[in-house]
Amino acid sequence: MNLREEQATQTATGTARTAARGGQPEQSEESLAARLVEKGRLSAAALERAQRVRETTGEALAGLLLKLGLLSERDLAEALADLHGCKLVTAEDYPAVALFEDRLSTRFLREARILPLHQDSEGLCLAMADPADRFAREAMALVAGVPVHPRVAVPGELEQAIERLYGGGGERLEADGELGDGLDEGLDGDIERLKDMASEAPVVRLVNRIITQAIERRASDIHLEPAESHLRLRYRIDGLLRDGDPPPAQLRAAIVSRIKIMAKLNIAERRLPQDGRIKLAVRGNPVDLRISTLPTLHGESVVMRVLDRESVSLDFGALGIGGENLAEMLRGLERPNGIFLVTGPTGSGKTTTLYAALSRLNDPDRKIVTVEDPIEYQLEGVNQIQVKPAIGMDFAQALRAILRQDPDIILIGEIRDLETAQIAAQAALTGHLVLSTLHTNSAAGSITRLLDMGVEDYLVTATLNGVAAQRLVRRLCEHCKEPYAVEAELAAHIGLEKYDAGAGSTLYKPHGCKHCGDSGYRGRTSLLETLTLNDDLRRQILKDADARSLHHAAVAQGMRTLYDDGMAKAVAGETSVAEVLRVTRDS
C-alpha cells in the first residue's frame, strides 16, 4: 500500500466514525429542518416529534426522520442538494464501469456513502449521500489526486450502484469473515447463544440487506428456504419467484432467529408454525412485513409478505380496473345492501381491490367495519378488527359482534365456512352491504362454492349482488417493449377480431432492460370478469345449474371474461399475449 492509499484508508476510518456519530453539525441540521418545513416536505408537528426523540437518543436528525418514516430518502436528498447548492444524481449519471476499483473497497464506499461518477479536466464528480461530509471528500481527493465536486445521491440508489459496480457479494463475504465457519452446528439446543448471534452486527446487517433488497426490487414476498447444505433466498417479483444472493449456510439458524426476534416470535419453538408481523421504515418509507415460519426437514422455512404502504394505490384506475368491468362492479357496490364478492387464487389482488372499493365508499355518512386475517393496510375512518382464533375470535364470532355496532358496510376478509356465509347473508338481508372474498377460479364458480358450503339457494339469489373474478398479469416495461406485426394465423387463433384488431395489427412482447431487471416486465395490472346477478341467472341457480352453465349464460348476456379483458390489454400494449395465456389458461 502506498502513502496515498494509506492516507485514504485513515481518512476513511474517520469518515466511518463521523457517519457513526450521525454526520451533519447541529447548525446544518437546523438549516436542513427549516428547508424541509419551508418546502412542505415535513410538517412542524413531525419535526417536533423527531427533535424530542433526538434529545433522548442523540441520533442525527436526518437519519432519525428516515428511521421514523417521516421523510422519504428522495425528499431528503432534494433538500440537501438545495441546501448545499449541488446537483441531484440521476440514474443515468451512475457509470457503467467502476472507477478506482483497485483502490476502493466496497466496505469503505458503503460506510462513507459515496461513489465516484466520472473524472474530467476539472476534477472528480462524486456522488454523496451527505455532501457536508468533508472527510469523505478529502479521502476521495487523496485517492484520485484531483479536486472533488460533490453531488447529492438518493441513498437507496447509491447503495444499488455500489453493489452493482463494486461487487454484490461483499456483504455476504464480510459476514462470513466476521462470524467464522460452522456456527450453525449445535445451535438447536443453545437458545441463549442463538439470541446473542441474532443480535450481532453481521447478522443484523444481513437481514436488513435482505429486506432492503426486497423493497428495491419491488418484491411482494421474501422466501428463505433451508436445504441440507445451503439457505436459498428468493424474491417474488411481479408474481414470479427470482433467486437472490444466498446468505451463508452456517448462519441459517441465526438469520431465522433474527427475523423471529423482530417479529416477536418464540425463537425456542421450532417444531410448530408461527405467524408474526414486523413494522419498520425502509428508505424513510413505512413497511409492514407479515412473517410465517414453517418447520421443514432441514430447518425453518420463512416467508415474509411485504406490505409497502407507499407503493399501493387504492384507486381502481391504478389497479387496472376500468371500462365496463368497473361499471359492473360499481353497480354491485353502490347498492345499499347485499353481498359483493371478489374471487381468485392467493396473491391475485383480491384484498387490494376490496380496499379500493372501501376507499371509494368511505364517507362520513357511512360506518364501515372490517374483520380481517390479517389486517394488511390501515384505512383512515374504517374500524378494522383482527381475528384471533386462539381465543375464539373467528370470523363468525366477530361478525356477530359487528352487527350490534350499527354498521352500514361490512368487509369480511374471507368467507371460509358455512357459519360465516350464513351470517353474511343474514347481514345482507337486514340492510347491510357486505364485501368479501372467496377462493374459486371463476365468478360463476363462487356461486356453486356457496351452495356447496350449504348456503340455501334462495339465500344466494336474494343476497348476492355480484362477483368479480380477478387475476394479475405483468405489465410490459415501457422502456423496452418490442412491437411486432401479428400474422394471420395467430390473429385467427387468439380471436383478435373480437378486440378490434387482426392480421397486421401491432402487439408487443418483452425484451429486457436495466429498468425492469432484464425481465421485460415492470409492475402488474388486474384482469377482471364481473358477473352481475339478474333474474335469468337467479332462475338458473334455483334450478341447480352448475358453474359452467352459469358462466356460459353470463357470457351470453354480455359478461366480459378474464381472457377478454386480458386480450384487450394486450392489444392496448399493456401486457403480452403470452402473459394473458399464462394467467387465464385455467379460467
Side-chain angles (χ1 to χ4, degrees):
M1 180 181 290
N2 60 36
L3 177 60
R4 175 180 293 169
E5 291 172 356
E6 186 176 354
Q7 288 174 317
T9 302
Q10 292 171 351
T11 308
T13 304
T15 304
R17 292 193 185 113
T18 302
R21 288 197 306 267
Q24 299 183 45
E26 186 173 347
Q27 185 177 359
S28 177
E29 286 194 337
E30 297 305 327
S31 300
L32 175 64
R35 190 66 57 97
L36 288 167
V37 174
E38 178 188 340
K39 295 289 184 181
R41 304 295 189 187
L42 184 69
S43 69
L47 175 60
E48 184 180 351
R49 175 190 169 196
Q51 288 173 332
R52 286 199 304 269
V53 175
R54 183 178 62 165
E55 290 173 2
T56 304
T57 64
E59 296 180 62
L61 182 63
L64 197 55
L65 290 170
L66 294 177
K67 184 177 179 180
L68 295 173
L70 301 174
L71 187 70
S72 73
E73 285 192 330
R74 180 162 294 277
D75 286 343
L76 176 61
E78 289 174 352
L80 285 171
D82 188 33
L83 182 65
H84 294 281
C86 301
K87 291 183 178 179
L88 193 67
V89 179
T90 66
E92 289 72 25
D93 293 330
Y94 289 105
V97 294
L99 277 69
F100 311 111
E101 189 173 11
D102 57 335
R103 284 179 272 173
L104 294 173
S105 72
T106 308
R107 175 178 288 190
F108 164 59
L109 293 174
R110 282 204 199 103
E111 290 179 348
R113 298 191 300 163
I114 60 174
L115 186 142
L117 297 175
H118 61 82
Q119 185 175 340
D120 54 27
S121 58
E122 295 182 358
L124 176 68
C125 187
L126 184 67
M128 306 183 69
D130 178 10
D133 189 346
R134 64 184 180 86
F135 295 99
R137 291 201 308 271
E138 290 172 2
M140 278 308 306
L142 286 170
V143 170
V146 296
V148 167
H149 306 291
R151 288 191 182 183
V152 180
V154 177
E157 297 174 0
L158 179 66
E159 287 187 18
Q160 288 185 53
I162 292 171
E163 292 294 312
R164 175 173 60 85
L165 295 169
Y166 293 87
E171 187 76 36
R172 178 176 60 81
L173 294 175
E174 287 167 19
D176 286 348
E178 290 181 54
L179 287 180
D181 297 325
L183 291 177
D184 198 35
E185 299 174 6
L187 284 176
D188 286 347
D190 194 345
I191 301 303
E192 290 305 317
R193 186 181 171 206
L194 202 53
K195 284 181 181 178
D196 291 341
M197 281 186 59
S199 301
E200 289 184 2
V203 175
V204 172
R205 282 203 305 270
L206 271 173
V207 173
N208 290 345
R209 168 65 54 184
I210 288 168
I211 295 171
T212 302
Q213 284 184 345
I215 304 300
E216 291 170 351
R217 297 177 68 175
R218 301 173 295 104
S220 62
D221 299 87
I222 306 167
H223 292 248
L224 285 164
E225 301 162 335
E228 185 174 6
S229 59
H230 65 280
L231 181 63
R232 188 180 191 185
L233 170 64
R234 294 196 287 177
Y235 298 104
R236 188 174 295 279
I237 302 171
D238 295 335
L240 299 181
L241 286 170
R242 304 284 185 226
D243 281 321
D245 293 331
Q250 65 267 31
L251 298 183
R252 284 181 299 183
I255 290 170
V256 172
S257 294
R258 173 62 187 169
I259 294 169
K260 291 168 78 171
I261 288 171
M262 293 172 71
K264 297 180 175 60
L265 301 179
N266 182 2
I267 70 168
E269 179 55 78
R270 290 189 290 272
R271 300 166 302 169
L272 297 173
Q274 295 187 68
D275 295 308
R277 193 164 192 153
I278 299 172
K279 289 188 177 183
L280 69 166
V282 177
R283 309 296 187 206
N285 296 322
V287 174
D288 285 357
L289 299 173
R290 272 171 39 198
I291 311 300
S292 172
T293 69
L294 183 69
T296 67
L297 178 62
H298 299 293
E300 287 180 285
S301 171
V302 178
V303 175
M304 294 183 272
R305 167 66 57 89
V306 181
L307 304 173
D308 186 354
R309 285 172 272 170
E310 294 294 315
S311 68
V312 174
S313 175
L314 301 181
D315 175 76
F316 285 123
L319 297 177
I321 302 172
E324 186 57 32
N325 269 328
L326 178 58
E328 285 291 329
M329 180 178 284
L330 292 179
R331 275 193 276 273
L333 293 173
E334 291 172 355
R335 294 181 63 176
N337 52 64
I339 298 174
F340 189 90
L341 299 174
V342 180
T343 185
T346 300
S348 60
K350 301 185 297 296
T351 303
T352 304
T353 297
L354 286 181
Y355 279 168
L358 286 186
S359 296
R360 191 180 185 101
L361 296 170
N362 190 11
D363 63 53
D365 299 331
R366 296 185 175 114
K367 178 166 183 174
I368 302 175
V369 184
T370 75
V371 51
E372 307 171 60
D373 184 22
I375 297 171
E376 294 194 2
Y377 299 102
Q378 297 175 25
L379 302 176
E380 188 69 28
V382 176
N383 300 278
Q384 295 175 269
I385 300 169
Q386 168 73 54
V387 301
K388 298 177 181 177
I391 60 172
M393 182 72 160
D394 56 13
F395 280 109
Q397 181 69 23
L399 272 175
R400 292 191 191 94
I402 285 172
L403 292 175
R404 294 192 290 272
Q405 290 280 311
D406 187 30
D408 297 293
I409 300 171
I410 301 169
L411 183 145
I412 307 170
E414 182 185 348
I415 294 179
R416 298 176 178 174
D417 51 45
L418 174 60
E419 187 178 12
T420 304
Q422 287 177 331
I423 298 173
Q426 292 298 329
L429 285 174
T430 53
H432 304 88
L433 178 62
V434 180
L435 311 180
S436 190
T437 68
L438 270 180
H439 285 273
T440 60
N441 289 329
S442 66
S446 297
I447 297 172
T448 55
R449 173 78 177 118
L450 290 174
L451 296 173
D452 289 342
M453 280 184 182
V455 182
E456 300 293 342
D457 53 8
Y458 67 86
L459 274 180
V460 174
T461 57
T463 60
L464 192 61
N465 295 342
V467 184
Q470 181 167 328
R471 300 289 189 278
L472 294 177
V473 292
R474 293 179 292 171
R475 287 182 184 269
L476 286 166
C477 176
E478 291 296 330
H479 295 90
C480 66
K481 64 181 182 182
E482 287 187 352
Y484 66 95
V486 183
E487 297 179 356
E489 185 178 352
L490 176 61
H493 177 68
I494 61 179
L496 278 184
E497 293 80 5
K498 184 178 179 181
Y499 312 103
D500 298 325
S505 297
T506 300
L507 292 178
Y508 295 85
K509 60 184 178 181
H511 180 268
C513 66
K514 64 179 182 179
H515 296 282
C516 59
D518 291 319
S519 68
Y521 297 95
R522 183 176 176 85
R524 290 189 287 179
T525 188
S526 301
L527 302 186
L528 233 66
E529 65 178 31
T530 308
L531 184 154
T532 303
L533 259 68
N534 55 28
D535 290 340
D536 181 54
L537 288 173
R538 289 188 176 96
R539 281 192 292 270
Q540 293 206 38
I541 293 170
L542 293 172
K543 292 178 182 177
D544 294 328
D546 60 17
R548 182 178 295 274
S549 301
L550 291 171
H551 179 80
H552 288 319
V555 170
Q557 294 170 25
M559 183 182 77
R560 192 181 195 188
T561 66
L562 289 166
Y563 180 81
D564 292 337
D565 196 24
M567 290 308 302
K569 284 182 166 65
V571 169
E574 295 181 40
T575 189
S576 66
V577 171
E579 183 70 2
V580 174
L581 293 174
R582 178 184 72 85
V583 171
T584 64
R585 189 176 296 130
D586 296 328
S587 59

